[in-house]
Amino acid sequence: MDFSIREIKGIGLRKEKLFARLGIMTIADLLQYFPREYEDRNHVLPIGQVEIPSDTPVLICGKVGTIQEVRPRRSMTILKVVISDNSGSAELIWFNQPYRKRFFSKGQILSAFGKMEWAYGHRQMNAPEVENGLVQPGGFVPVYGLTEGLYQADVRNAMREALHFAAEHGDVLPDSIPTDEYAQYRYMPNLAAYENMHFPQHMKQQEQARKQLAFAELFDMQLGLLLRRQHARMAAGIKCGPNGSLLRQLVHQLPFTLTKGQIKAFLDIQNDMEGEVPMQRLIQGDVGSGKTVVAAMALAKIVENGYQGALMAPTEILAVQHYEEFCRLFKGCPLRVALLTGRTTGKERAVILQELKEGTVQILIGTHALIQEDVDFFDLGLVVTDEQHRFGVKQRAALQNKGRSPHTLYMTATPIPRTLTLSIYGDLDVSSIHEMPPGRKIVKTYAVGEAMRKRIYRFLEKNMAQGRQCYIVCPLVEESETVDLQAATALYEQLRTTVFSNRSCGLVHGRMSGKDKEAVMEAFQKGDIQLLVATSVIEVGVNVPNAAVILVDGAERFGLAQLHQLRGRVGRSNIQSYCILLSAKGSEETKQRLHWMETIHDGFILAEKDLLLRGSGHLFGYVQHGLPDLKAADIIRDVSILMNARESAAAFLQSPVDEEYVLRILKRRFGRHFDGLLNN
């Protein structure tokens, strides 16, 4: 049963709203909101013996002496509370928090946890965490992610009350499906596992609890993914015949030789399409690895078997790009390719819809316009979704539902490590293309400091003088589209009116209307704009072969995956291209990240590095794939647990299963994400 957090002591309407900001609505949500770290409070130190300054927070206890509120100026208050023990005394300081004064009284025993420093002749702790009474040494205190208005004490107190509530009411925590494999991770009762995740006495207990809960979580997620796959395979698929003349003509007139990776990916697709069940396959390949040609081959195969194919792209400019590419690839072939986007209106749209319904349009390429109600196919046999993570689960399903269990092919240019592939795409077969087409040159990448800015601008000017085009990506200022837009607009105006006043410049950002953004990108694609200034919203997959240089300003603010995607905007022809990463001095991690960008050009290797640097959680946007974020599991540490959980889930489904019971368990665990987990 889903109990609201209002059921527990101390949660009123105000705190309910604050917890909701963290995605916590029920007691189960709260109990699965695990600490991000733990503070070791196993030792109370005598105040006079604390090293100053203390590099890490320390725990002290003492009796309250003086309580003083100082107002050095009208807009500032300083609260000073002095506590002392037999070894010395320390001032506890809070700025602009006068309400705290009422919590303290002279003679009170107080525990304080924080970093100690020396200031104005006193030992001081600035804004420590305090508790009334003498804290008993022992245990680790949880530290949670917060939102404005919510404090660590609020979450800890709520968590203690939630655990107490769970002990009394029982039916609060997510159930686990019992399996033989789970027994090896079953260190303690379920409630005890949650208690040790939040308030462990020893970190060994916490790790045992985490492994136990991680296995249950991964098992349930894999069970959901395998059920989704099982449901898809229950439908009667379109069994295609051997490759025919249309496919042979397409391959024969290709102006290049297919790479080994492209051939292997198509053989995987061919086997699927000639099988008994609908294909569910993902092609992942680096930017420019030739996924579109493989998709064209799959579409040719479905057409020569008497069915129609559809390709859906996330933006109009990408859809147009695919349409133009397909027209070139299929030139002279006996089939009709059509384009349907939001701009396709009136008579043109009516003709396309009629021909689609009659079957004379065999391949339809478009945007979300493909899933509108009045778009009817004669017999849809293959659905291809480009950059599929850009579409919602329901959007992808809506296109598939326009056919009778059509084959489905997804494409992504975001390389994903194998371990995450298992968790995100556990219901799909995956083909990876690693090679680049012949003639493509590696994009030379340089990480430089601010002192090089003028030289970089001269380098951009030199390339534009040679007829090339350039990108400048503005720094990600903060998690605010408004602030990022202001930074981009300011840089654009500065460059347009000074450094590059002799060049045609354009600006694109996320706050522009789709129509305006398309217009700018189209002008850049045609060569009417030489220098494009942009925020990080540059469309993935946009193909401008003449673009030779991309400058990423403030590169230290971007992750590896994002930097690699940005680098993929250039190097799309045989022109030598360059990626310049301009950054301020950063941490060792930043230096390492930029060094990897300079030396590694394989997106799959960079994805593994990115995972190591940033951890799992929602690194790859599970919600975009219709999946919930992981709570206890960590894909980096838990590869073996993931493998065991997947094998265990597969074995579980081989035995007689009460599917209603399983669905109830999954609904209970994953809540509002459940539909995304089971429905594609």
Side-chain angles (χ1 to χ4, degrees), residues 60-78:
I60 59 174
C61 292
K63 182 183 290 188
V64 175
T66 60
I67 303 167
Q68 183 183 16
E69 187 177 275
V70 181
R71 293 181 177 272
R73 57 178 182 269
R74 182 179 298 177
S75 60
M76 177 181 285
T77 62
I78 304 173

Side-chain angles (χ1 to χ4, degrees), residues 210 214-215 217-219 221-222 225 416-426 607-608 610-622 627-643 645-646:
R210 194 196 66 78
F215 179 85
E217 180 178 40
L218 290 171
F219 175 88
M221 180 177 282
Q222 292 300 312
L225 289 167
I416 298 173
R418 180 171 173 267
T419 51
L420 274 183
T421 300
L422 277 175
S423 60
I424 293 179
Y425 299 119
E608 296 281 359
D610 203 18
L611 192 59
L612 286 171
L613 277 179
R614 296 172 61 188
S616 52
H618 50 254
L619 172 60
F620 285 91
Y622 276 30
L627 299 181
D629 288 336
L630 297 174
K631 306 289 187 184
D634 183 315
I635 296 298
I636 301 169
R637 290 191 285 173
D638 297 334
V639 174
S640 61
I641 298 178
L642 172 62
M643 300 302 184
R646 185 167 178 79

